[in-house]
Amino acid sequence: MDAALKRRLQDRFGAQLIAPIQQRHDETEIRIGAGDVPDVCRALHDEPAFGFILLADLAGVDTGDVMQVVYHLWSETTTDWLRVVADGLSREDPRVPSITFLWKGAEWMEREAYDMFGIAFEGNRDLRRIYMPPDYQSFPLRKDFFLPDDAARSPGAGVRHMEQSHAPTNARAATMIRKSRA
Amino acid sequence: MTTATPHVHPRQEVPSDDPRVQLDEAVGVFEPIPPYPPRTERESEFYTLGDGEMYINMGPQHPSTHGVLRIVLKLDGEQVVDLDPVLGYLHRGVEKLCENADYHHTIAYLDPLEYISSLFCEWPGVLAFEKLLDVEVPRRAEYIRVLSTELNRILSHSLFMGWMALDLGGLTPILWSFIERDEIAEMLAALTGQRLLFNYLRIGGVNGDLNHEFLSRLGDWMSRATHQIENNLGLLNQNEIFVRRMRGLGVLDKETAFRMAVTGPNLRASGVPLDFRRAHPYSVFTELEFDIPTRDEGDCLARYLVRIDEIKQSLRIIDQCLHNMPDGPIMAKLPRLLRPRPGRAYAAVEGPRGQYAAYVVSDGTDQPFRMRIHDPSFVHLQSVGVLMPGHLIADAMAVMASLDPIMGGVDK
Amino acid sequence: MARSFSRLTLAGKILFTIFPILLVLTGGLIVVIVVAGKPIVDFLATNIWLVRFVVAATAVLLMSVPSAFLIIYMEMKVIALMNLRIGPDRVGPFGSLLSVVHGLKVLMKEDFSPTGADRLVFTLAPIAVFMATIMSLLVLPFAPGLFGVDMNIGLLYLFAVSGLSVVGLLMAGWSSFNKYSLLGGLRSAAQVVSYEIPLTLSVVGLLLLAGTMSLNTISTNQAGWFTNWYVFQQPLGALIFFIAATAEANRTPFDLTEADSEIVAGFATEYSGMRFGFFFFAEYVNVFVVSGLIVTLFFGGWNAPFPWPWPIALNIDPGSMGLGLLFALLIVPPLLILALAAPFYVGRSTLPWWQALIIGFVLFNLLVVVAIGGWAFISWDWVAGLFWFLGKSYLFVFTFVWMRGTLPRVRIDQLMGFAWKWLLPASLLNLFVTAAALVVVHR
């Protein structure tokens, strides 16, 4: 709970925040739009007042209504973790500028977010699937993911009867997907 | 995007009367180069061969990759020019599984992530849940957590020591380190009931209290631990061949380390004294006295020596925990069915490989809405792409071993 | 008959199967000798090379196979004990029959060659490597009188022949159609070739002192007290030779050709079955040859560390004992057996008397073997020489195995750098100093 950090963030990024800064326990959370990500992250990284040099985590979240990309940053200047939520990505075509220009180590984390959610990181030189086979058709961690059809289209399906998936022909996506009120 | 163009794989149209013939024709001769056209810039850069270069596939089965990892190396003779790690062989969908499990059940899912240091995989998850539930963990439970996790750290580092030597060709140190590990595993089995995947931490505390067998084994081991570790290390630290092979190899400097989001002993070996137990204290680390071993060189030898020093610091911490162990309950009072308030929580701990973290999004039900696991081996494995080019194959394995990746964590 | 056969125990079945077959074979052999004995002997006398070949092949097999078996077992057991684990202990007492089982396993495995491999070269490679090793056994002097050929360029022949293994390794690496094998083969060729030079140069100083290249003569020159051994006159040469020999034999710390944490099994990745067995075998016989060579050149060969007046004649004339001999032969063995069995029977109360007698019998046999061996040791110089040679060789084999269990391996560029930048100048230095010293001494 670093009130000084909250003030500094409000002063610097007030225009780009799309929700009030929330603080709980030892985390400070700011929400910005997808397009503001490179500027905000560069400012947080470069400016000595903030100095968030360590990227702790990069995660994708599918809230059922929208998608989010959540960055966790650490700095020596504050005792809190900073959570930057790039909110408001559409579920049909989620796009976020990549932060690999700042942290090359984010490359694989962005690949994982792409693989699991389909979020396209513009500027990532290597945006391909990392866990799933390269020609897998769907994105597993999305809330509307269902299994049977996808395995059939992967190279893992063999030619013998037992190695193929025989999904029911009327298998359909889940009609009610789980949403988060968070 | 799930119901995108239903792409039927051409192989499905092959008739299947003689399965073996069909399979042979379908498989063909294995090529490490992907059959599809390269889709990203990096892929096309990698999969174009220069003059005199060749690809060699350190495949998922290999005597020295730390689990099932496939690395496609582009070699110029014996020198590595470029590499492309291919992951996913051990992907188990833990994050998705956690979304369909109760909060208590997720702890068992978190264990096999980095199976060598499984208590460190459980801890951030448990901490994040406790933040969501605003639970206060009793002091005795905190001390027991620190005690068992420091033992786990020693387990992990002794395995690292043995594995490092094995990748360089020494057959003996790994067996000696397994003697160490066996004693500690028996100790932890007396405490938690398990030798490898402990499943010991609970939301609000730990599973079982310290018992007589654990304490007697621990006391017995502590009395000879320092001497035993010194003996084991004598084989490696003063070995000219070992030191010469590791010195100056795979140097990771400070700026590159921060750029690659490296944490843990790899970062501390590059000169940055960042340890989340001091920098962002959790649990009872504010009350414990220990040093943070740091080295400046950033080469494989520095990473090795930092981990050795950490073993000694862990012994100090265990000593203090034993002396200062408070009385009290080992678990907070919680209802069986946990329904945290909707919200988000992030918790990170300092594990033997780096920062283990969990980001939990809760929607008010009894199952986590999103359980994101951050795992240091995943991040560190990217560094091999930066460190390996320019070295020989033998060094490539040494560099990878010194970064200490565990594929369970890399692939989740 | 079939029914009574099936009622026998296993031992009985074996006996009753083998015994008739042996009888038939013996009878057949007798018939052949009686009928066609003289023509066969005449044929062999005119083609004496055939006899020589058979005898030589038998001798080679007798020398190489048991030593390879012993070294394989020793390596596994000794490294296991160094690793604080037990090692093989199921097959035979303390696992000593392990090598036999390994040999059988290797013979029984499926012998295939990978798709795309060059079949002819793939098959010939292990033969080439094995041949190189076996040919070097020809000149190694095991004991006074116990050697293949006493060539006066014995050492040169040995170095020449051990270089043939490079060809075999390259053939193996190339023909396997596998990049790992290729890398392994190239690495090993580079390694063997670069260590040939310090190997040969370090011995030239010794040759200057000995004046001959014949290994037999070098061994005889080191007779007498152990201070005559060349290691005290050429310490640097001995050290360089030891290091270069380790590299030649592809042993740790120079075993990058089979570094199994990097390039799975090097040149032998695609080999299985008897072909792999050949490589395996050749490597261990090579270790024995190299140890034997170190012992011959620098550590006295088949000489004892002290001068021993061979032969010592025990003036026992059995004929003069007369009837006493008969009594001795009839009474002494049972008495000895009882004497040896008594401590066990008395010491362990649960031991049945017949088990104690069996233990006594076994110990009595051991005693007889030791006595006969001792008598042979002091009577014939070649028995003693063989004992000392093998003992010293196996000490060096143990050192090689010890190094394997302890040291990690070096990198290829460190290895080459070491050979060319350190060992080569050191061996040249050794040569110059020896030559200078000889000139000064002779003046």
Side-chain angles (χ1 to χ4, degrees):
Chain A
M1 284 278 206
D2 196 351
L5 178 68
K6 185 171 178 179
R7 265 197 312 268
R8 271 184 288 156
L9 287 167
Q10 190 68 51
D11 294 334
R12 174 74 175 79
F13 300 116
Q16 287 129 328
L17 298 177
I18 59 175
I21 300 181
Q22 292 192 332
Q23 288 193 316
R24 193 173 169 95
H25 291 294
D26 58 348
E27 304 153 33
T28 305
E29 179 180 314
I30 62 174
R31 288 194 189 226
I32 55 179
D36 290 327
V37 163
D39 301 322
V40 171
C41 287
R42 185 182 288 124
L44 288 169
H45 180 259
D46 293 337
E47 289 171 20
F50 293 110
F52 285 95
I53 47 171
L54 186 69
L55 175 70
D57 192 20
L58 194 163
V61 179
D62 180 5
T63 53
D65 298 313
V66 294
M67 293 233 191
Q68 300 171 341
V69 177
V70 180
Y71 306 83
H72 285 92
L73 302 167
W74 179 85
S75 165
E76 273 176 349
T77 57
T78 171
T79 55
D80 278 6
W81 292 101
L82 178 65
R83 185 183 306 134
V84 179
V85 181
D87 209 347
L89 278 61
S90 74
R91 294 190 73 240
E92 282 72 43
D93 187 21
R95 299 191 154 272
V96 170
S98 161
I99 55 167
T100 45
F101 64 94
L102 276 178
W103 290 288
K104 190 146 187 316
E107 194 181 279
W108 279 18
M109 298 202 248
E110 290 178 353
R111 268 178 77 179
E112 190 201 343
Y114 166 69
D115 191 10
M116 297 284 117
F117 292 97
I119 302 174
F121 289 86
E122 291 152 344
N124 187 327
R125 289 189 67 220
D126 200 12
L127 197 68
R128 52 190 163 119
R129 288 191 179 265
I130 189 169
Y131 288 148
M132 308 313 292
D135 47 353
Y136 201 70
Q137 296 297 323
S138 28
F139 300 104
L141 275 175
R142 291 172 62 107
K143 293 297 181 191
D144 52 357
F145 171 74
F146 71 107
L147 196 53
D149 261 352
D150 302 309
R153 279 171 266 157
S154 80
V159 287
R160 302 180 224 193
H161 177 85
M162 289 298 291
E163 293 167 350
Q164 293 179 345
S165 86
H166 300 271
T169 45
N170 55 355
R172 204 175 304 116
T175 41
M176 192 176 93
I177 57 176
R178 194 171 165 195
K179 291 184 202 277
S180 159
R181 284 166 281 152
Chain B
M1 275 189 162
T2 325
T3 49
T5 51
H7 167 244
V8 177
H9 207 266
R11 212 182 281 152
Q12 280 185 325
E13 287 150 358
V14 175
S16 53
D17 29 33
D18 189 353
R20 285 173 295 181
V21 170
Q22 301 299 331
L23 206 56
D24 274 341
E25 281 175 335
V27 167
V29 178
F30 176 74
E31 272 294 333
I33 308 168
Y36 47 81
R39 273 132 19 125
T40 64
E41 267 178 67
R42 170 93 181 99
E43 245 190 327
S44 44
E45 173 188 293
F46 182 75
Y47 287 104
T48 332
L49 272 180
D51 194 21
E53 294 171 353
M54 66 176 179
Y55 295 116
I56 196 167
N57 194 26
M58 292 205 139
Q61 303 142 317
H62 188 92
S64 108
T65 53
H66 289 234
V68 272
L69 167 67
R70 177 175 157 214
I71 302 189
V72 185
L73 291 168
K74 198 196 264 192
L75 295 177
D76 180 12
E78 274 234 11
Q79 201 179 35
V80 174
V81 169
D82 206 350
L83 62 122
D84 181 29
V86 178
L87 311 179
Y89 288 93
L90 198 49
H91 179 63
R92 291 158 287 185
V94 172
E95 294 179 354
K96 188 85 179 180
L97 285 172
C98 286
E99 285 175 17
N100 291 326
D102 285 350
Y103 280 95
H104 291 290
H105 296 173
T106 59
I107 299 175
Y109 280 129
L110 293 174
D111 257 335
L113 283 177
E114 289 215 355
Y115 32 86
I116 309 288
S117 49
S118 50
L119 285 175
F120 288 101
C121 300
E122 298 168 22
W123 209 354
V126 162
L127 278 181
F129 297 150
E130 285 161 8
K131 278 190 194 176
L132 281 175
L133 292 160
D134 291 320
V135 168
E136 171 125 2
V137 180
R139 274 176 54 82
R140 187 176 171 89
E142 292 279 23
Y143 268 92
I144 298 179
R145 276 184 184 178
V146 171
L147 178 65
S148 46
T149 48
E150 291 302 320
L151 279 172
N152 205 354
R153 193 188 302 267
I154 298 180
L155 263 184
S156 171
H157 283 325
S158 1
L159 180 64
F160 164 76
M161 185 184 88
W163 223 330
M164 184 91 220
L166 189 67
D167 276 350
L168 292 179
L171 306 168
T172 309
I174 188 166
L175 285 152
W176 289 3
S177 80
F178 265 92
I179 294 178
E180 279 296 309
R181 277 179 52 94
D182 202 55
E183 293 186 47
I184 303 178
E186 284 296 315
M187 231 188 276
L188 284 170
L191 180 66
T192 67
Q194 268 287 357
R195 281 169 60 107
L196 190 68
L197 304 174
F198 302 112
N199 194 12
Y200 182 55
L201 303 186
R202 297 282 180 269
I203 306 175
V206 287
N207 189 24
D209 207 344
L210 306 175
N211 51 28
H212 174 71
E213 191 185 344
F214 172 71
L215 288 170
S216 68
R217 279 186 195 258
L218 182 62
D220 183 38
W221 178 74
M222 291 281 290
S223 61
R224 37 186 176 86
T226 322
H227 185 67
Q228 212 166 323
I229 293 173
E230 290 292 323
N231 270 353
N232 287 357
L233 294 174
L235 189 63
L236 291 172
N237 287 11
Q238 282 124 31
N239 192 329
E240 179 68 23
I241 299 177
F242 189 67
V243 167
R244 273 230 292 170
R245 269 203 67 184
M246 295 215 297
R247 183 172 292 157
L249 183 68
V251 176
L252 186 67
D253 55 327
K254 247 194 228 186
E255 291 77 32
T256 318
F258 274 119
R259 239 176 10 110
M260 304 300 296
V262 170
T263 53
N266 296 330
L267 187 61
R268 292 196 278 281
S270 302
V272 180
L274 175 59
D275 186 331
F276 287 107
R277 293 175 288 179
R278 275 281 153 76
H280 200 102
Y282 51 95
S283 190
V284 290
F285 282 107
T286 40
E287 302 167 21
L288 296 169
E289 229 183 71
F290 59 98
D291 299 323
I292 305 175
T294 315
R295 284 186 191 259
D296 283 319
E297 304 99 36
D299 56 5
C300 289
L301 189 63
R303 292 194 272 271
Y304 169 78
L305 290 172
V306 158
R307 289 187 168 95
I308 299 304
D309 291 334
E310 277 190 12
I311 297 184
K312 300 185 180 135
Q313 296 304 317
S314 287
L315 285 172
R316 259 177 90 180
I317 297 177
I318 296 176
D319 212 14
Q320 288 169 58
C321 281
L322 280 176
H323 283 137
N324 304 343
M325 181 74 65
D327 292 318
I330 51 163
M331 190 135 156
K333 289 262 185 295
L334 281 178
R336 266 291 166 79
L337 199 60
L338 290 174
R339 286 222 170 89
R341 54 164 182 86
R344 301 157 296 283
Y346 180 80
V349 302
E350 176 77 21
R353 268 162 210 95
Q355 184 214 156
Y356 292 74
Y359 171 57
V360 183
V361 177
S362 149
D363 61 343
T365 59
D366 55 351
Q367 295 175 338
F369 183 78
R370 167 84 169 110
M371 173 98 192
R372 154 75 181 171
I373 297 149
H374 174 86
D375 182 279
S377 300
F378 181 60
V379 177
H380 295 171
L381 207 55
Q382 295 175 75
S383 315
V384 298
V386 166
L387 295 177
M388 260 201 218
H391 292 304
L392 307 177
I393 300 184
D395 289 339
M397 301 324 300
V399 164
M400 205 173 77
S402 76
L403 289 174
D404 201 9
I406 296 287
M407 293 316 292
V410 175
D411 281 345
K412 286 201 268 294
Chain C
M1 178 96 134
R3 212 161 60 141
S4 26
F5 183 78
S6 67
R7 286 207 190 143
L8 293 171
T9 59
L10 181 62
K13 282 191 187 127
I14 293 175
L15 198 64
F16 277 93
T17 324
I18 293 183
F19 197 62
I21 294 176
L22 275 179
L23 269 181
V24 166
L25 280 177
T26 322
L29 201 61
I30 293 175
V31 164
V32 164
I33 290 178
V34 160
V35 165
K38 194 160 186 317
I40 292 177
V41 169
D42 283 339
F43 171 73
L44 286 178
T46 44
N47 299 323
I48 201 80
W49 58 269
L50 193 62
V51 179
R52 280 216 190 103
F53 177 72
V54 170
V55 169
T58 316
V60 155
L61 281 177
L62 275 180
M63 273 326 301
S64 60
V65 169
S67 62
F69 275 10
L70 187 56
I71 299 177
I72 292 173
Y73 170 67
M74 200 167 127
E75 170 147 335
M76 295 203 172
K77 193 73 179 171
V78 166
I79 291 184
L81 292 170
M82 284 179 189
N83 288 348
L84 298 176
R85 55 188 173 92
I86 303 179
D89 68 335
R90 297 286 168 203
V91 202
F94 298 107
S96 44
L97 293 180
L98 179 85
S99 305
V100 174
V101 167
H102 266 302
L104 282 175
K105 165 197 81 169
V106 141
L107 276 173
M108 292 195 298
K109 277 199 179 172
E110 181 184 356
D111 216 1
F112 63 91
S113 59
T115 320
D118 193 344
R119 292 277 166 85
L120 183 65
V121 180
F122 191 74
T123 316
L124 288 180
I127 300 178
V129 173
F130 193 59
M131 220 168 52
T133 313
I134 293 297
M135 281 163 72
S136 41
L137 276 177
L138 189 69
V139 283
L140 208 57
F142 290 93
L146 264 187
F147 45 82
V149 174
D150 183 19
M151 296 191 215
N152 41 355
I153 49 160
L155 202 54
L156 184 65
Y157 165 82
L158 204 105
F159 289 143
V161 150
S162 63
L164 281 181
S165 61
V166 180
V167 178
L169 293 175
L170 276 172
M171 285 162 72
W174 178 258
S175 65
S176 297
F177 197 63
N178 182 345
K179 285 175 196 163
Y180 284 123
S181 310
L182 184 66
L183 280 174
L186 292 175
R187 271 188 184 180
S188 71
Q191 174 183 327
V192 171
V193 160
S194 37
Y195 276 89
E196 288 269 348
I197 300 185
L199 190 77
T200 44
L201 277 180
S202 59
V203 179
V204 178
L206 174 80
L207 291 180
L208 285 176
L209 287 176
T212 169
M213 280 202 255
S214 155
L215 287 171
N216 208 21
T217 320
I218 293 179
S219 288
T220 29
N221 284 357
Q222 299 178 70
W225 285 98
F226 65 94
T227 42
N228 279 347
W229 290 354
Y230 281 126
V231 68
F232 297 106
Q233 300 173 27
Q234 288 269 294
L236 185 61
L239 186 63
I240 299 172
F241 188 80
F242 182 71
I243 298 174
T246 321
E248 285 291 307
N250 287 338
R251 295 292 291 182
T252 319
F254 303 113
D255 63 343
L256 349 122
T257 62
E258 41 176 57
D260 50 54
S261 51
E262 296 152 26
I263 44 173
V264 190
F267 58 88
T269 313
E270 296 286 348
Y271 281 90
S272 77
M274 198 56 209
R275 298 207 186 106
F276 183 71
F278 264 101
F279 277 127
F280 205 50
F281 217 64
E283 178 184 329
Y284 288 111
V285 176
N286 207 12
V287 168
F288 176 70
V289 165
V290 146
S291 316
L293 197 60
I294 293 177
V295 162
T296 310
L297 289 174
F298 293 105
F299 285 89
W302 34 256
N303 293 303
F306 43 83
W308 180 275
W310 266 283
I312 298 180
L314 289 175
N315 295 322
I316 305 177
D317 182 17
S320 64
M321 284 170 55
L323 213 54
L325 181 66
L326 190 62
F327 280 130
L329 281 177
L330 282 179
I331 296 174
V332 166
L335 277 180
L336 261 182
I337 293 179
L338 286 172
L340 288 168
F344 292 95
Y345 186 58
V346 166
R348 288 189 59 159
S349 56
T350 56
L351 205 65
W353 61 269
W354 53 273
Q355 277 188 3
L357 272 185
I358 289 177
I359 295 176
F361 183 66
V362 169
L363 286 178
F364 172 70
N365 280 344
L366 275 173
L367 198 65
V368 165
V369 164
V370 167
I372 293 181
W375 172 64
F377 188 83
I378 58 178
S379 316
W380 290 306
D381 57 352
W382 58 268
V383 173
L386 189 65
F387 169 76
W388 285 113
F389 178 81
L390 286 179
K392 287 188 267 185
S393 287
Y394 275 98
L395 261 169
F396 275 95
V397 170
F398 175 76
T399 310
F400 280 126
V401 170
W402 190 4
M403 287 202 299
R404 178 168 184 183
T406 323
L407 300 171
R409 67 180 72 92
V410 300
R411 213 169 54 208
I412 181 82
D413 61 327
Q414 285 174 342
L415 178 124
M416 308 284 268
F418 185 58
W420 292 99
K421 291 193 264 192
W422 289 97
L423 287 186
L424 179 60
S427 48
L428 281 174
L429 178 73
N430 180 39
L431 175 58
F432 291 150
V433 166
T434 313
L438 272 181
V439 166
V440 163
V441 162
H442 275 246
R443 199 159 279 226

